[in-house]
Amino acid sequence: MVSNTKVIFSKVPTGLPVIGEHLTVRKDEINLDKELAEGEFLIKILYLSVDPYMRPRMHDASTESYTPAFPLNEPMNGHAISVVLKSNNDTFKVDDLVYGMTYFSEYIHVPAAFAGYFEVRNEFRGSKLPLSYSVGVLGMPGMTAYTGLLNIGKPKAGETLYVSAASGAVGQLVGQIGKVLGLHVVGSAGSEDKVQYLKDIGFDGVFNYKTGDISSKLKELCPNGIDIYFDNVGGEMLDAVLEQANTFGRIIACGMISQYNSLDTYQLKNILNVVSKRLLLQGMVVNDFDHQTEEFRTAMTVWLNDDKVQYKETVAEGIENTPQALLDLFRGRNFGKQVVKVADL
């Protein structure tokens, strides 16, 4: 038997979760020598992803939502890259790198019924790209940026794209894809070092939303109005964009992180502009675009290798630090994509 640390969803929070109350760490044991049933395989997590969408999943299971609640007193789950230690499944061989949704646990016996949630990602062996990219720029966040901008934003060269939370896991990629496609790209972030990073990777205009009037900065940096808004924030930021948006503008509602931990929901004042400006305001869930996975991975890999896209990460060490990594993400204290390194390959 070996130690097997897990991250547990212990209680439904109101507002920001509290470590030790809503999110806890539990040490169990696992028998790595256990005989595997037909179709079963054993994995060790290497990197796991923590993401803003996890906050809306911390709700009461009786509340209807587009995404299921984390079960109380059970391990949380999310995207991870793992290595196969043992296998009784022809699809997954020993030493394969596998990507998919899994429990936040150092080791997992994956039953045959859940094998469909995983895929082999051995292209990272021998690659110059970091393995952590599998849960970031070449994982769900990258797929979100690519499919949201292209399918809902419908960009045309010369248009103006504005991205909120632009230094985050998704936002930094939306902006860089926009530049590849010939857009005028403006972004906002919450600190001066994040603002500088966005300038360094090619954004045409950047501002710190905490130190100036949002509407004034949008007017200054988007003199021709906003054609596409990739919204990761919601609330007051969305309201300001509704004022600055061009007629027939497109708004990709990807996230609303300003509202996830708020007990006082922001009421939009400019919502009538959706009608008067004939705006498209469409929510997105990345799973709707699963059919574009290979297209996305091919394009993004080329851009990375050609240095057209750069990617910033914050890496927490050790699965026991996953709750803190989540809190840092919700508070905006991370820089770029937040991942947790669980083990070496």
Side-chain angles (χ1 to χ4, degrees):
M1 303 290 283
V2 299
S3 177
N4 192 25
T5 303
K6 302 174 180 179
V7 181
I8 307 298
F9 179 54
S10 302
K11 183 180 178 182
V12 175
T14 55
L16 273 171
V18 175
I19 297 172
E21 180 181 358
H22 306 105
L23 308 175
T24 56
V25 174
R26 187 175 76 202
K27 289 189 177 293
D28 291 338
E29 291 187 331
I30 187 171
N31 181 6
L32 300 183
D33 297 321
K34 170 191 167 186
E35 186 175 346
L36 300 178
E38 181 71 27
E40 189 176 21
F41 55 102
L42 171 67
I43 61 174
K44 177 178 76 171
I45 290 184
L46 304 173
Y47 287 91
L48 59 83
S49 176
V50 294
D51 299 284
Y53 79 86
M54 292 177 173
R55 179 59 186 87
R57 292 191 65 192
M58 297 177 189
H59 61 80
D60 190 288
S62 63
T63 303
E64 188 173 342
S65 174
Y66 79 96
T67 185
F70 291 121
L72 277 173
N73 300 313
E74 295 291 337
M76 297 176 64
N77 58 75
H79 291 89
I81 188 79
S82 309
V83 63
V84 177
L85 299 182
K86 292 177 62 177
S87 180
N88 194 17
N89 186 307
D90 291 339
T91 302
F92 303 99
K93 308 292 195 300
V94 172
D95 291 334
D96 276 349
L97 295 174
V98 294
Y99 171 81
M101 288 287 287
T102 187
Y103 292 123
F104 283 2
S105 176
E106 289 179 283
Y107 302 93
I108 302 104
H109 281 113
V110 181
F114 289 91
Y117 290 99
F118 295 85
E119 60 176 320
V120 177
R121 298 291 305 273
N122 283 335
E123 68 269 24
F124 281 95
R125 287 192 177 276
S127 171
K128 71 175 186 178
L129 301 176
L131 183 58
S132 55
Y133 278 17
S134 62
V135 296
V137 59
L138 288 168
M140 182 275 293
M143 179 83 167
T144 300
Y146 180 89
T147 58
L149 180 59
L150 269 63
N151 291 287
I152 302 174
K154 300 185 185 305
K156 296 182 280 292
E159 290 188 317
T160 295
L161 164 67
Y162 171 55
V163 188
S164 58
S167 66
V170 173
Q172 61 179 308
L173 295 174
V174 174
Q176 291 179 91
I177 295 170
K179 291 303 298 176
V180 170
L181 299 177
L183 303 180
H184 177 79
V185 178
V186 175
S188 59
S191 68
E192 292 307 314
D193 57 341
K194 293 177 180 179
V195 166
Q196 186 59 52
Y197 168 69
L198 294 173
K199 291 178 180 178
D200 291 343
I201 63 174
F203 278 61
D204 297 294
V206 191
F207 67 96
N208 185 337
Y209 71 90
K210 294 181 179 179
T211 60
D213 178 72
I214 295 171
S215 292
S216 297
K217 295 305 293 186
L218 288 177
K219 287 179 183 177
E220 174 191 341
L221 297 174
C222 306
N224 297 318
I226 298 170
D227 299 296
I228 308 167
Y229 173 42
F230 202 103
D231 187 14
N232 295 303
V233 172
E236 182 183 1
M237 189 74 75
L238 174 57
D239 223 9
V241 171
L242 289 172
E243 183 181 9
Q244 304 293 331
N246 288 330
T247 301
F248 299 114
R250 288 85 70 197
I251 299 174
I252 304 115
C254 177
M256 303 272 173
I257 197 166
S258 72
Q259 304 299 295
Y260 293 160
N261 297 294
S262 175
L263 301 179
D264 184 19
T265 303
Y266 182 89
Q267 301 298 312
L268 293 173
K269 302 176 181 65
N270 295 314
I271 193 65
L272 182 60
N273 286 358
V274 173
V275 178
S276 62
K277 295 184 177 184
R278 285 85 83 198
L279 301 176
L280 172 71
L281 196 167
Q282 182 175 332
M284 77 159 294
V285 176
V286 68
N287 295 348
D288 293 340
F289 304 103
D290 280 349
H291 61 284
Q292 292 180 288
T293 298
E294 290 308 315
E295 171 193 329
F296 148 68
R297 287 178 181 166
T298 299
M300 187 60 73
T301 300
V302 169
W303 291 335
L304 286 166
N305 286 328
D306 289 349
D307 294 324
K308 291 182 177 179
V309 168
Q310 300 175 50
Y311 201 58
K312 184 82 169 178
E313 298 177 306
T314 297
V315 181
E317 298 276 349
I319 193 170
E320 68 278 2
N321 290 314
T322 302
Q324 186 61 56
L326 270 167
L327 264 290
D328 289 346
L329 175 69
F330 296 154
R331 290 173 172 146
R333 292 177 179 172
N334 68 302
F335 197 154
K337 168 62 184 159
Q338 179 70 65
V339 300
V340 177
K341 182 180 181 180
V342 178
D344 290 317
L345 178 60

